[in-house]
Amino acid sequence: GAVVSQHPSRVICKSGTSVKIECRSLDFQATTMFWYRQFPKQSLMLMATSNEGSKATYEQGVEKDKFLINHASLTLSTLTVTSAHPEDSSFYICSAREPRGDEKLFFGSGTQLSVL
Amino acid sequence: QQQVKQSPQSLIVQKGGISIINCAYENTAFDYFPWYQQFPGKGPALLIAIRPDVSEKKEGRFTISFNKSAKQFSLHIMDSQPGDSATYFCAALEYGNKLVFGAGTILRVKS
């Protein structure tokens, strides 16, 4: 299946700093990528839909100024958590859809963010 | 609003047994139903998926049963193995819209 690479897999940062997470589709071009957040033992919560060349679409309740999404190319989307606080600590996962007409969605390996 | 209801929340199965996880939905516009497997600290991996025009799909030890009239679908894991121990998520998609996930089922297969 298609491969989606996410980096870093784990990051620890101080409160107030910004953290960037990268998501790359390695063997296909993804016009749309998705960013999820997952708390321990809970389901995935969609944060935003990232569209190549245009602004991201954020889900209700997600602060667009805190979670900056950039989809500058067909293979790369980035999520920047700005001025991180301990409550932003979570598991962040990206996904991308193959542009073949079916609905298969492939996920990255996730990034565990810990804000001290 | 939970659009896809998944049960049970957790499941313990003996090695070699059958694991069954159930999901129900309300939105009849959903037309794609995938199952994902997630290990701790990893992203979800697509396991198997079905469309509503078939009632069953089998891939190896994994089978999806789909009941369109009841708006229910289930995952059966035959000959369950300790390596199958993971969290399983059902999901549903309406074409052009976002994927909706169930709450997840933590499966533990005892050896």
Side-chain angles (χ1 to χ4, degrees):
Chain A
V3 178
V4 175
S5 174
Q6 187 171 342
H7 180 80
S9 58
R10 180 178 294 274
V11 58
I12 301 173
C13 70
K14 292 182 179 180
S15 184
T17 61
S18 294
V19 174
K20 180 184 284 188
I21 302 169
E22 292 188 349
C23 180
R24 296 180 183 273
S25 55
L26 296 186
D27 50 3
F28 65 99
Q29 294 183 328
T31 55
T32 303
M33 291 186 175
F34 305 88
W35 287 95
Y36 294 83
R37 185 174 182 176
Q38 186 178 34
F39 292 105
K41 297 188 178 181
Q42 292 190 23
S43 189
L44 287 77
M45 182 185 73
L46 180 65
M47 298 175 65
T49 301
S50 169
N51 301 296
E52 188 268 337
S54 63
K55 291 184 178 180
T57 303
Y58 290 82
E59 294 299 304
Q60 190 174 10
V62 178
E63 298 177 60
K64 63 177 72 175
D65 293 331
K66 169 158 250 338
F67 299 101
L68 299 180
I69 292 173
N70 184 280
H71 195 156
S73 77
L74 287 172
T75 59
L76 174 64
S77 176
T78 60
L79 168 67
T80 302
V81 183
T82 63
S83 186
H85 290 282
E87 58 265 30
D88 298 325
S89 298
S90 186
F91 193 56
Y92 293 87
I93 313 170
C94 70
S95 70
R97 178 174 291 153
E98 279 193 308
R100 294 186 308 177
D102 64 19
E103 303 294 344
K104 287 185 179 179
L105 198 62
F106 296 93
F107 287 82
S109 55
T111 298
Q112 182 63 53
L113 171 64
S114 300
V115 184
L116 304 179
Chain B
Q1 182 184 4
Q2 188 178 7
Q3 298 188 51
V4 179
K5 294 184 178 181
Q6 184 172 346
S7 63
Q9 190 173 20
S10 63
L11 180 63
I12 300 175
V13 174
Q14 290 289 340
K15 179 182 176 181
I18 303 174
S19 303
I20 302 174
I21 304 171
N22 301 299
C23 284
Y25 63 97
E26 289 296 325
N27 185 355
T28 55
F30 287 144
D31 60 3
Y32 177 70
F33 302 87
W35 284 89
Y36 289 88
Q37 179 189 56
Q38 185 180 29
F39 292 104
K42 301 294 183 183
L46 179 64
L47 198 57
I48 187 172
I50 198 169
R51 294 196 180 274
D53 53 346
V54 297
S55 60
E56 185 176 282
K57 184 174 182 180
K58 183 176 181 179
E59 291 184 1
R61 296 185 295 110
F62 302 93
T63 300
I64 299 179
S65 296
F66 189 85
N67 187 329
K68 188 174 181 178
S69 61
K71 291 186 284 188
Q72 296 175 347
F73 59 109
S74 60
L75 175 70
H76 292 63
I77 305 175
M78 314 299 287
D79 187 25
S80 299
Q81 299 297 314
D84 296 329
S85 298
T87 300
Y88 293 81
F89 293 97
C90 63
L93 177 71
E94 178 182 350
Y95 184 79
N97 284 321
K98 58 190 178 186
L99 197 62
V100 179
F101 284 90
T105 296
I106 300 172
L107 171 65
R108 179 183 161 209
V109 181
K110 295 174 67 175
S111 55

